[in-house]
């Protein structure tokens, strides 16, 4: 039997990148004590106040069909939130609702690029970006990100890779996996390129509320001269510890939302009303869990850095936001994938190979900062012991 070309384009771009994580789950199911530092799962449950809203909405019968752009109350709440944070009026006509950031990205890229187009994206990148770019035949144009520049994507590096086929720049700020944050100056320079070459700017901002103390988040959506060519996507998955509710959105110009609406309606025809009610409450108030997560993740990143710097030959890149820290493991003599498998099988700690996020991280691994402090300390013990074994030292 024949399959559509999309199947070939996406082969090995899905679950195959998570083979170490899946192996860790297998070992845990067999009774092994595995410390899982692979995925970006919040370290607290969804706030009860929010789940109560969803449950109450279910009981009130908010289970019917929605409308194409999303429930009116949610779009209004998002419009108020973005108008306040961007210091400019953003109306509900500029917003489309989706089940999560991933679906929003898929729809946005499906609507803005097509076969033969190129999308410029930093390497490393979140593991699903290549798939959402390649789904309808577009090509990913990786822009290497250097630890020497804090893994921030730079306008001059983008400029060197622009071709006549370039159609969009996909940004992720704060950045997964490295925790880098783009400054306003970074965005202005990138925006000038986008204006010069008539490129879309797609900005994944799902970690916006997990910026560590002393750092500042900026969105290209807040820059007036970029507003018509910028689409920002986000969700409540990280900020409100609600990944399983799958509630996200895209914010662009009114013309963008109108043009993309038929595509959105073809995919899902709106979001779930009872989840929309919960999300409207979530985005209308400060998250009750984000501040605690920011503090804990920053402290664990600092602890990981202190321990590995003092007790091993491994190097840690200090994140400025998010749920992860990157560890350079090149001195072990292994690549990131082999290192991650060996660490899992011999020391019971699961981390993500850097290669899952792009070619530039072959000698790195990503460590999630999302287990409780005692388990995280145990994980540090095992990472140090493993590193000493590979350095020929007694563990």
């Amino acid at each position: 039997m024949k399959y559509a070309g999309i199947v070939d384009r996406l082969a090995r771009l899905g679950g195959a990148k998570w083979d170490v994580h899946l192996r860790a789950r297998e070992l845990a199911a067999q009774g092994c004590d595995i410390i899982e530092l692979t995925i970006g799962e919040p370290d607290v449950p969804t706030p009860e106040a929010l789940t109560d809203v969803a449950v109450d909405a279910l009981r009130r019968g908010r289970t019917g069909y929605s409308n194409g752009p999303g429930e009116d109350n949610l779009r209004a709440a998002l419009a108020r939130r973005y108008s306040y944070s961007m210091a400019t009026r953003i109306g509900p006509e500029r917003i489309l609702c989706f089940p999560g950031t991933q679906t929003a990205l898929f729809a946005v890229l499906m609507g803005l690029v097509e076969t033969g187009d190129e999308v410029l994206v930093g390497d490393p990148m979140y593991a699903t970006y290549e798939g959402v770019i390649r789904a309808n035949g577009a090509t990913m144009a990786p822009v290497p990100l250097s630890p020497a520049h804090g893994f921030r994507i730079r306008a001059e590096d983008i400029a060197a890779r622009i071709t006549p086929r370039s159609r969009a720049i996909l940004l992720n700020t704060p950045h997964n996996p490295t925790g880098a944050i783009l400054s306003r100056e970074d965005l202005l320079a990138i925006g000038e390129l986008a204006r010069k070459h008539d490129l879309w700017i797609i900005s994944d901002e799902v970690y916006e509320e997990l910026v560590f103390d002393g750092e500042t988040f900026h969105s290209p959506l807040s820059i007036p001269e970029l507003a018509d060519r910028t689409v920002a996507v986000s969700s409540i998955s990280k900020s409100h510890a609600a990944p399983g509710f799958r509630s996200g959105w895209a914010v662009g110009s009114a013309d963008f939302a109108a043009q993309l609406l038929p595509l959105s309606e073809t995919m899902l025809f709106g979001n779930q009303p009872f989840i929309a009610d919960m999300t409207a409450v979530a985005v209308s108030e400060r998250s009750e869990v984000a501040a605690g997560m920011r503090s804990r993740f920053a402290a664990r990143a600092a602890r990981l850095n202190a321990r590995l710097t003092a007790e091993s030959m491994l190097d840690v890149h200090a994140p400025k936001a998010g749920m992860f820290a990157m560890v350079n493991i090149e001195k072990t003599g292994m690549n990131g994938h082999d290192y991650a498998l060996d660490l899992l099988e011999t020391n019971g700690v699961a981390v993500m190979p850097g290669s899952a996020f792009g070619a530039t991280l072959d000698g790195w691994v990503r460590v999630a900062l999302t287990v409780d402090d005692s388990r995280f300390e145990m994980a540090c013990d095992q990472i140090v012991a493993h590193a000493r074994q590979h350095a020929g030292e007694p563990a």
Side-chain angles (χ1 to χ4, degrees):
M1 300 294 293
K2 295 182 67 175
Y3 295 89
I6 190 172
V7 175
D8 289 332
R9 290 194 295 272
L10 299 185
R12 297 198 60 77
L13 292 181
K17 291 192 174 186
W18 304 91
D19 64 330
V20 176
H21 170 70
L22 296 174
R23 175 59 180 158
R25 290 286 174 92
E26 288 178 2
L27 291 171
Q30 295 168 13
C32 299
D33 183 17
I34 303 299
I35 303 176
E36 187 178 291
L37 305 178
T38 47
I39 61 175
E41 192 86 37
D43 65 346
V44 291
T46 306
E48 191 172 316
L50 293 182
T51 58
D52 285 347
V53 173
V55 170
D56 180 64
L58 278 169
R59 288 174 174 156
R60 287 187 291 107
R62 292 280 286 150
T63 57
Y65 286 119
S66 183
N67 58 39
E71 290 292 289
D72 291 343
N73 63 332
L74 174 54
R75 293 168 70 223
L78 285 166
R80 290 190 295 271
R81 170 194 158 170
Y82 276 88
S83 294
Y84 175 79
S85 62
M86 302 299 166
T88 186
R89 183 189 180 277
I90 293 180
E93 72 279 359
R94 296 176 59 178
I95 297 168
L96 296 174
C97 298
F98 295 94
T101 309
Q102 180 65 27
T103 309
L105 277 172
F106 181 88
V108 169
L109 283 155
M110 190 67 68
L112 300 187
V113 301
E114 58 191 346
T115 300
D117 291 337
E118 293 177 345
V119 178
L120 297 136
V121 60
D123 180 353
M125 70 202 76
Y126 179 56
T128 68
Y129 283 179
E130 186 174 1
V132 294
I133 291 168
R134 291 180 57 181
N136 66 343
T139 300
M140 182 178 72
V143 179
L145 307 181
S146 170
H149 300 121
F151 286 112
R152 293 177 9 251
I153 192 167
R154 301 192 303 165
E156 53 263 48
D157 296 327
I158 296 173
R161 289 160 179 82
I162 290 176
T163 75
R165 297 197 302 160
S166 300
R167 185 69 174 271
I169 303 168
L170 174 53
L171 303 177
N172 181 202
T173 182
H175 186 254
N176 179 5
T178 69
I181 304 173
L182 295 180
S183 68
R184 183 174 175 82
E185 291 70 28
D186 292 331
L187 294 173
L188 286 169
I190 292 168
E192 185 58 35
L193 274 181
R195 294 169 64 195
K196 178 179 178 181
H197 297 277
D198 193 23
L199 305 176
W200 286 98
I201 298 174
I202 304 162
S203 184
D204 179 352
E205 299 172 354
V206 73
Y207 289 98
E208 174 186 353
E209 294 194 47
L210 295 183
V211 174
F212 299 164
D213 288 348
E215 305 295 338
T216 304
F217 166 77
H218 296 277
S219 170
L221 200 63
S222 68
I223 301 173
E225 56 267 36
L226 301 182
D228 286 345
R229 66 178 65 252
T230 295
V231 180
V233 297
S234 193
S235 75
I236 61 170
S237 294
K238 311 298 185 183
S239 58
H240 292 78
F245 280 90
R246 312 310 303 139
S247 186
W249 53 85
V251 185
S253 67
D255 183 65
F256 156 82
Q259 294 286 348
L260 214 73
L261 180 57
L263 172 60
S264 173
E265 291 173 332
T266 300
M267 289 175 60
L268 55 98
F269 216 95
N271 57 329
Q272 309 90 322
F274 69 98
I275 295 178
D277 290 353
M278 168 189 160
T279 307
V281 171
V283 301
S284 296
E285 304 169 354
R286 293 182 66 87
S287 168
E288 67 178 74
V289 294
M293 286 193 288
R294 288 195 300 268
S295 176
R296 291 190 298 276
F297 298 159
R300 289 172 194 152
R303 181 62 176 161
L304 180 72
N305 187 25
R307 292 228 31 206
L308 298 194
T309 299
E311 302 175 45
S312 79
M313 74 287 212
L314 306 180
D315 298 312
V316 179
H317 171 76
K320 297 180 181 297
M323 297 178 162
F324 312 103
M326 298 303 304
V327 179
N328 187 313
I329 53 83
E330 291 175 340
K331 293 175 184 175
T332 66
M334 293 185 283
N335 62 42
H337 190 269
D338 290 345
Y339 170 92
L341 277 177
D342 195 64
L343 179 66
L344 172 62
E345 299 286 354
T346 62
N347 291 74
V349 176
V351 298
M352 283 292 289
S355 57
F357 307 98
T360 60
L361 286 186
D362 192 50
W364 296 71
V365 295
R366 189 189 75 173
V367 177
L369 306 168
T370 52
V371 299
D372 66 65
D373 291 342
S374 62
R375 293 283 283 174
F376 193 77
E377 196 69 26
M378 291 171 60
C380 290
D381 291 341
Q382 292 303 317
I383 293 170
V384 167
H386 181 262
R388 287 177 172 174
Q389 291 163 11
H390 285 274
E393 302 174 17

